Amino acid sequence: MPLAGRHVVLGVSGGIACYKSCMLVRRLLEDGATVEVVMTAGAAEFVRPLTFEALTGRKVLASLWERDHALAHIGLAKTPDLIILAPATAQLLARAAQGQADDLLTALLLARTGPVLCAPAMNDAMYAHPATQANIKTLAQRGWRFVGPETGPLAEGPSERQGRMSEPETILAAAQRLLAPAGRWQGRTVVVTAGPTREHLDPVRVITNPSSGRMGIALSEAAWTRGAEVILIVGPTDLPLPSGVKAVRVETTADMQRAVQAVMKGADALIMAAAPADYRPLESAPTKRPRANGRISVQLEATPDILTSLKRPKGCVMVGFALETGDGLAKAQQKLQDKRLDFVVLNDALEPGAGFAVATNKVTILRKDGAPVELPLLPKRDVAERILDAVEQALT
Ligand code: CTP
């Protein structure tokens, strides 16, 4: 539980995105945080305080005048590890930027010296307005961190516009990163590859594999929340990518090789969770091949082996995956040596709940020095955390 023992005050202001704040409270609690909710009068028009009280088991605070002592806002400003504002409306940003203290939430923000994480949500024109942009700039210069707003359908209609509050999972990841203990990950660059690659037979037909990218995406998010700078090099996938990581989309194995090589110079760790296609057609037709009856033959050639081709910076921790069918321990051990890796994560494509396109994985982590560690069946995010624990030990 990354937020165990942490005290979070969630400030909720009056926008339709309030309904998502209820889910955010649940996720913060599940992660081990103690959560107190402070609402503006506008927020209470959208969601009743009772909802937050039922979720947190604590009284919602809304007024400067109703607490049993006059300095409640000072205590609330000083004690929490983090104040999250979600949603933060244009009006809340304006009042905070001006230093107003006309209700409990703005008063405690004025007294706050510790971290504030702000998730704006508003109409796109209000967000784009120079006044709002100036307020955000002012608050960022004072040390506030921002997550979102994102582009998507707003309350007024389905067209894509910027102003949507980030999803609870995204806000939670940003909170985890802000509260990550200072350690080995800050200032480190981690390169992660994810997903399949595609090799074209013609413009509409490809050779690929069923990898979804889920394991690599989970690794990239876990490394980002630990405090690292993360570059995610990802083949074709429909899954959403974590907002904090720098994503580079690629299609073929050769594209992936180029993209990885381009960022290896500054890398402290490379985690090759992708399943690059091993073969490509010797010739790719420039236009669609007409359907022909009977058999056709396609000549294939091997794609480059990315891991063995890379120039590695000194001290870069190298992690490969080995997807095998049946007893793969010996083959994975061989890959550890042949590809000169620090770790190989072995998973069995035939094992239920492991391998491609499922939410869980069952892996064994083989190490350059030391005995293999077999993990139970776990959600991919938990597998990612265990892999990063191993990488953390190896970072010099
Ligand atoms: N890999 C790579 N370049 C490729 C294919 C795979 O760098 N062209 C990486 C994968 O990302 C993984 C590791 O090599 O981290 C092992 O991949 P895997 O598919 O298990 O093995 P292969 O090297 O392709 O060998 P084989 O298919 O014979 O098992």
Side-chain angles (χ1 to χ4, degrees), residues 42-183:
E45 296 289 330
F46 284 94
V47 175
R48 289 188 66 189
L50 185 64
T51 307
F52 289 111
E53 287 177 0
L55 288 167
T56 61
R58 289 161 192 271
K59 191 164 164 34
V60 164
L61 308 167
S63 160
L64 270 169
W65 317 116
E66 73 186 342
R67 286 206 96 184
D68 34 15
H69 62 96
L71 295 178
H73 61 289
I74 304 296
L76 274 174
K78 289 219 162 77
T79 51
D81 297 294
L82 182 63
I83 294 179
I84 302 177
L85 302 173
T89 59
Q91 192 211 22
L92 180 68
L93 295 175
R95 290 193 294 146
Q98 285 177 8
Q100 288 186 17
D102 52 357
D103 65 3
L104 180 61
L105 185 55
T106 47
L108 81 89
L109 289 173
L110 194 60
R112 176 72 174 171
T113 51
V116 176
L117 175 65
C118 180
M122 65 200 74
N123 161 273
D124 57 327
M126 292 168 83
Y127 178 65
H129 195 286
T132 304
Q133 290 301 313
N135 292 333
I136 290 174
K137 199 169 161 201
T138 301
L139 293 164
Q141 278 166 352
R142 290 183 198 150
W144 283 26
R145 301 294 179 86
F146 285 82
V147 50
E150 302 192 1
T151 301
L154 301 180
E156 313 90 278
S159 64
E160 301 268 306
R161 286 176 294 176
Q162 192 177 14
R164 222 179 127 81
M165 188 172 91
S166 295
E167 292 305 313
E169 286 298 329
T170 307
I171 300 172
L172 183 76
Q176 288 172 348
R177 181 175 165 91
L178 257 172
L179 294 177

Side-chain angles (χ1 to χ4, degrees), residues 5 61 123 128 134 159 170 173 178 236-237 269 273 291-292 299 342 363 380 383:
L61 308 167
N123 161 273
S159 64
T170 307
L178 257 172
T237 176
R291 187 183 133 80
Q299 272 207 304
D342 296 285
V363 308
K380 282 188 170 163
V383 175

Side-chain angles (χ1 to χ4, degrees), residues 253 272 274 276-278 303-307 320-324 335 339:
T253 298
M272 275 291 299
D278 284 324
T303 55
D305 184 314
I306 300 173
L307 269 175
F321 273 65
L323 181 67
E324 308 294 350
K335 282 177 190 169
K339 300 193 182 212

Side-chain angles (χ1 to χ4, degrees), residues 198-208 251:
R198 271 186 199 153
E199 304 295 339
H200 278 264
L201 285 152
D202 69 20
V204 297
R205 299 189 182 92
V206 292
I207 296 176
T208 187
E251 186 171 26

Side-chain angles (χ1 to χ4, degrees), residues 19 60 77 90-91 107 112 140 144 186 189 199 230 304 367 379 385:
Y19 76 94
V60 164
Q91 192 211 22
R112 176 72 174 171
W144 283 26
Q186 277 84 5
T189 299
E199 304 295 339
V230 180
R367 297 179 286 169
E385 297 291 353

